[in-house]
Amino acid sequence: MKPIILWMTPPGPNPWKVVTVLEELQVPYEINSIRFEDIKKQPFINFNPNGRAPAMVDPNTELTLWESGAIIQYLIEQYDSQRKLTLEPMQDRALLNQWLMFQMSGQGPYFGQAGWFNFLHPEKLTSAQERYNNEVRRILGVLEKSLEGKSWLVGNKCTFADLAFLPWNARVDHALGVPGTEPLKEFPNVNDWHQRMLSRDSWKKAMQTRDKLMDDQGLTPLGMPKGINNIAEYESKMRAEGDM
């Protein structure tokens, strides 16, 4: 089998959903890591005209695919013949896709907007911060209720639906503007579920790779260049370097 090519910018959570699934399935892959300021330039937009990471090229099937949820669904259908990360009954598979869609439409966008207005937006907009911080907690509340009396979202094992929530939940302190704290402790079912996934070898290896790629690009854990504090400073730096 030829390795899958995964294009990404290392700071964002979404590529690491895909990496974690690839590690779980033991599918060979290679990472093409690009800088954030290059994401709307060639060659990346040849693979994803939307200019968002990740994008995948599978030379085994000659398929190019973008959107992390679509990539995960493809990997499960194409490479999870042993059903390591999925379930057999049609009803359970439908529920898994339901949760993946909730992650894509709910968790990711709201967590991302919270992080933007808490950290990156050049102006402090209290109303926006409150809106998205409340949405983060609402999403976590949905998960908290759904995990009552259960270890996993669907069935009795960890699936791709569970793992899809892992990268954003791992950064919820940054999303809420309180780095170094443990907001998930307000949601004990979610916290226990999250801790179970953090202990998986696939996630540990993914984070080791992320740390290296971030360091290679001189980036802080928030994805900003070292020494840069907000998006205004970042844009000023890019203008000075001719990248805008």
Side-chain angles (χ1 to χ4, degrees):
M1 181 189 300
K2 298 177 183 177
I4 285 174
I5 308 301
L6 189 65
W7 289 78
M8 69 157 68
T9 53
N14 287 329
W16 302 105
K17 296 187 292 190
V18 176
V19 171
T20 303
V21 168
L22 286 166
E23 286 290 342
E24 289 276 348
L25 298 179
Q26 291 295 287
V27 175
Y29 66 95
E30 296 176 358
I31 291 176
N32 281 348
S33 175
I34 63 173
R35 302 183 70 86
F36 177 76
E37 54 264 35
D38 295 329
I39 200 168
K40 294 189 182 297
K41 302 176 183 177
Q42 293 182 347
F44 184 73
I45 59 171
N46 295 331
F47 302 102
N48 183 359
N50 191 39
R52 293 287 188 271
M56 178 211 75
V57 179
D58 187 347
N60 302 291
T61 59
E62 300 183 347
L63 176 67
T64 297
L65 197 60
W66 42 277
E67 286 294 329
S68 57
I71 295 171
I72 288 173
Q73 288 179 319
Y74 167 76
L75 292 174
I76 295 300
E77 184 173 346
Q78 183 69 20
Y79 292 108
D80 192 12
S81 59
Q82 297 180 5
R83 301 200 181 280
K84 293 179 181 178
L85 296 180
T86 189
L87 299 166
E88 179 62 36
M90 176 274 292
Q91 294 90 337
D92 284 351
R93 294 200 305 275
L95 290 172
L96 293 177
N97 285 323
Q98 166 196 276
W99 283 110
L100 179 62
M101 295 306 106
F102 179 63
Q103 189 282 316
M104 297 288 293
S105 66
Q107 187 210 36
Y110 286 124
F111 281 41
Q113 290 297 315
W116 174 268
F117 284 107
N118 284 321
F119 274 105
L120 301 176
H121 195 68
E123 301 175 59
K124 182 178 180 180
L125 300 177
T126 303
S127 61
Q129 290 174 309
E130 289 177 353
R131 167 174 165 71
Y132 289 110
N133 287 349
N134 288 338
E135 284 298 310
V136 168
R137 289 188 165 88
R138 183 185 69 80
I139 295 294
L140 292 172
V142 172
L143 292 167
E144 178 72 10
K145 183 177 180 179
S146 299
L147 286 164
E148 184 67 36
K150 300 193 299 184
S151 296
W152 308 105
L153 289 171
V154 184
N156 59 2
K157 69 178 183 181
C158 181
T159 66
F160 69 87
D162 299 286
L163 294 171
F165 287 88
L166 179 54
W168 280 103
N169 277 347
R171 298 173 64 176
V172 67
D173 57 333
H174 290 94
L176 290 172
V178 286
T181 64
E182 298 182 76
L184 289 185
K185 287 193 172 180
E186 299 175 31
F187 305 89
N189 294 330
V190 175
N191 188 56
D192 289 347
W193 172 62
H194 182 63
Q195 294 301 319
R196 284 191 286 274
M197 288 188 284
L198 287 180
S199 68
R200 298 178 77 88
D201 289 341
S202 59
W203 177 251
K204 292 177 182 178
K205 185 171 180 180
M207 291 301 94
Q208 289 173 354
T209 302
R210 182 181 187 270
D211 289 345
K212 180 182 183 304
L213 295 178
M214 294 283 279
D215 190 60
D216 288 346
Q217 293 189 13
L219 300 175
T220 68
L222 281 176
M224 302 293 266
K226 294 175 182 178
I228 299 295
N229 299 309
N230 56 53
I231 194 66
E233 291 182 13
Y234 182 42
E235 290 178 347
S236 177
K237 177 179 183 294
M238 287 197 293
R239 288 190 189 97
E241 294 176 353
D243 288 321
M244 288 188 68

